[in-house]
Amino acid sequence: MPTTADAVPPPTTGRTGRTAVRAHAAVRVDLGPNGAPRLVELRSDVPIVLRLTDVSPARAGVAEGAKPVPTMTVHLVNGAAGPLAGDDLRLDISVGGGVCLVMRSVAATVALPGHGPGPSRLIVTAEVADGGELDFGPEPTVVADGADHRMITEIRLAATARLRLREEILLGRFGEPTGSVLSTLRVDVAHADGTAGDGTAGDGTAGAVGAVGALRTGGTSGGMPLLRQELLLGPRVPGLRGPAQLGGARAVGSLLVAGPEWAGPGPEPAVAEGVGRLPLTGPGYLVSALADDAVTLRRLLTAASDSAG
Amino acid sequence: MNAGGEESDRLGGGDQRGYRDGGDRHGPSGRSGRRATLLVLADGRMPTGGHAHSGGVEAAVTDGSLASLPDLAAFLLGRLHTAGLVAAAFAAATCHGIATGRTDVAELDDELDARTPSPAQRAASRAQGRTLLRAGRAAWPVPAGPRAPHHPVALGMVAAGARLAPGDAALAAAHATVTGPATAATRLIGLDPLAVTAVLARLADDVEATADAGEAASALPTRELPALTAVRLDLLAERHRVTALRMFTS
């Protein structure tokens, strides 16, 4: 049966397939001494190419109600096709206090089959310090026929950090059966007096690509789990097309919004055709949506979030 | 705990934790009988709250996606391999944690909150957990813990109180994942009860495999325990809560 374990064979050592790529990219921003956002590190590693596309320092006179948070925008550029089977990609993100990092991608990612051993893999880790904000909204991941793709996203938020995280998955290219994908999302929020997720990124050079060790050493003491979610999709997933999982949908997506303003009651739960806004136990809410296509999916996710207040 | 990151996604080493003290299952230890009692307590037909919950079936009937026996079979399969695996892993982890004193039950309960984004599902799970604990405490010396834990945590607590093994808790959890909704479907759309029983019988191997997988996964660090999600179940649960006319609580 397709359990998490089946879809995630342990990382192999000595991966030597000719087509396999390993890459470890990183972006770190914080607040510079002059009050402007500062790019501490922007490390591309093909095929993960990072481009700083916008900087907007805080200015007095920002519209009423909006907090003037100095913002940096970084775009992900796919420097090669894929990921292909066997590729092992990692992106580490660190956001300091008082700044907002907006991350986007210029195009959809197409996970493809290939000749490499094991699944293709993309690991994203992020730490956001108190008062910092991360808005991570890449374009969809398209799971091509025959692909076997693994996505792991691990995020640690300080008590007053904010997060907006969008994930969209399309099952196959147009008119094509879907490949397999397992996407794992783990988000933790530190307690106000805790130490977890205080924004001190681990040694950026530590560990092999694929290890998430730096994020685990702190355990969850001093923090709470905000969201744990594994989405397993593929042609052999039991009951996938049944009424409990996807029905006939070809696009699956979620939008996680977290921040101190959502502690306590949070937004009202809301549900409409193909979409639900789900207040979490912790300080945040999840919009979860199903659609026939990417455009509808994006519209559902955006509308449910916009109406949250 | 795991030694390092490279091990992060590997399952635990299986059942090498010595839950053989219950003796032979056919012996005089009474474990078979306790296991049977646990399964009855977990069953949707018992007055432990399960009979009031359809696990999303009623909402699926209402939206037209569950109208026939094949629909029900697909629904149950999808629920078992997502929510069922999570429930089995947490029931086993709770039972194991109590037996060994190594895992905090409240921490497992928090982790289930993080795996249950739907408020309606959280409420349904805790309501059933609370009533199951009451029934379990009438039968066995169930250890102290949260008053209204999530249902899988309650199952693990009750199993521990009955001196059963984590695998027994996992089996009860996987079993309950399909029996409650199946019973609800019988009542809601007038399916032939014998045909529904046949659907459940055909799922028996999947139930056992899910229980085994859940038990094996329960050795993982708590944050890495299974978290498989079924998107429509989340949406159905929320839709059901705002439905005016309904037979089941969830």
Side-chain angles (χ1 to χ4, degrees):
Chain A
M1 60 178 282
T3 62
T4 306
D6 291 335
V8 190
T12 52
T13 54
R15 188 172 279 172
T16 55
R18 281 189 303 276
T19 59
V21 173
R22 297 173 74 117
H24 189 170
V27 53
R28 270 197 288 162
V29 300
D30 69 7
L31 192 62
N34 58 352
R38 178 173 61 180
L39 193 59
V40 179
E41 182 179 19
L42 187 69
R43 176 153 53 100
S44 297
D45 192 359
V46 175
I48 304 177
V49 177
L50 301 169
R51 290 280 179 267
L52 178 64
T53 49
D54 190 56
V55 181
S56 50
R59 301 282 183 218
V62 169
E64 221 178 4
K67 277 184 39 182
V69 180
T71 298
M72 259 188 183
T73 303
V74 169
H75 272 77
L76 276 158
V77 183
N78 290 333
L84 278 65
D87 287 359
D88 207 345
L89 313 178
R90 175 170 176 151
L91 170 64
D92 291 332
I93 300 168
S94 170
V95 182
V99 288
C100 173
L101 173 63
V102 175
M103 290 207 67
R104 297 288 183 262
S105 62
V106 298
T109 296
V110 183
L112 295 163
H115 303 295
S120 52
R121 196 155 68 140
L122 171 63
I123 295 176
V124 175
T125 73
E127 303 216 349
V128 187
D130 273 314
E133 301 184 22
L134 173 63
D135 177 350
F136 189 35
E139 293 303 301
T141 298
V142 183
V143 188
D145 187 16
D148 181 9
H149 190 47
R150 182 82 175 89
M151 295 188 279
I152 301 170
T153 307
E154 302 241 17
I155 298 178
R156 286 198 185 277
L157 302 174
T160 60
R162 290 186 175 81
L163 173 69
R164 186 178 178 88
L165 175 72
R166 185 181 68 211
E167 178 181 83
E168 297 166 324
I169 296 174
L170 306 183
L171 301 176
R173 290 167 292 193
F174 185 77
E176 173 187 74
T178 186
S180 296
V181 61
L182 172 60
S183 176
T184 298
L185 174 60
R186 299 188 186 111
V187 182
D188 291 275
V189 182
H191 294 314
D193 54 352
T195 53
D198 60 359
T200 53
D203 178 0
T205 60
V209 173
V212 195
L215 281 171
R216 189 177 302 112
T217 48
T220 53
S221 60
M224 70 174 293
L226 180 68
L227 185 67
R228 308 269 190 259
Q229 184 160 283
E230 293 173 313
L231 195 56
L232 177 62
L233 310 170
R236 288 177 300 281
V237 173
L240 185 77
R241 288 300 175 193
Q245 292 201 29
L246 297 192
R250 296 185 52 83
V252 188
S254 65
L255 177 66
L256 173 64
V257 178
E261 61 271 39
W262 303 111
E268 282 296 305
V271 64
E273 187 62 39
V275 61
R277 185 176 67 222
L278 315 169
L280 304 172
T281 303
Y285 66 89
L286 180 75
V287 177
S288 195
L290 294 170
D292 292 334
D293 58 80
V295 174
T296 310
L297 183 71
R298 178 72 58 89
R299 183 173 54 74
L300 291 174
L301 292 174
T302 305
S305 173
D306 287 349
S307 61
Chain B
M1 296 296 284
N2 276 1
E6 289 294 316
E7 298 292 314
S8 64
D9 285 302
R10 190 183 297 185
L11 284 187
D15 186 7
Q16 299 173 348
R17 290 173 291 177
Y19 287 97
R20 297 287 176 252
D21 54 342
D24 185 285
R25 65 181 60 184
H26 301 295
S29 72
R31 182 175 155 194
S32 300
R34 295 195 303 273
R35 185 190 294 121
T37 305
L38 180 67
L39 288 169
V40 170
L41 286 176
D43 193 281
R45 283 156 287 196
M46 262 294 289
T48 50
H51 64 289
H53 297 271
S54 78
V57 163
E58 186 170 12
V61 168
T62 302
D63 85 353
S65 59
L66 201 168
S68 67
L69 207 58
D71 290 346
L72 175 64
F75 180 96
L76 296 177
L77 200 57
R79 192 171 200 269
L80 178 63
H81 285 274
T82 51
L85 179 64
V86 175
F90 274 81
T94 302
C95 186
H96 176 70
I98 291 170
T100 61
R102 283 210 293 262
T103 308
D104 182 8
V105 172
E107 182 189 339
L108 290 166
D109 206 46
D110 288 346
E111 287 280 344
L112 264 179
D113 264 347
R115 284 161 177 78
T116 319
S118 155
Q121 285 186 343
R122 289 198 297 271
S125 174
R126 291 192 179 281
Q128 292 174 81
R130 182 170 50 81
T131 47
L132 173 66
L133 269 190
R134 192 191 303 152
R137 290 214 156 97
W140 297 301
V142 176
R147 191 184 67 83
H150 280 290
H151 189 248
V153 170
L155 269 176
M157 291 169 66
V158 172
R163 288 177 292 118
L164 285 164
D168 299 320
L171 181 63
H175 176 74
T177 301
V178 292
T179 54
T183 305
T186 309
R187 293 162 64 187
L188 283 163
I189 52 177
L191 294 173
D192 173 5
L194 295 180
V196 171
T197 301
V199 166
L200 286 175
R202 283 194 291 274
L203 275 175
D205 287 349
D206 278 82
V207 169
E208 186 177 335
T210 300
D212 290 348
E215 185 194 5
S218 70
L220 290 167
T222 51
R223 70 191 306 273
E224 296 174 29
L225 287 171
L228 286 167
T229 185
V231 178
R232 286 196 95 250
L233 284 183
D234 290 347
L235 302 183
L236 288 169
E238 291 305 309
R239 188 160 279 250
H240 189 64
R241 180 173 37 191
V242 296
T243 301
L245 190 64
R246 53 187 191 176
M247 182 186 292
F248 292 89
T249 308
S250 76

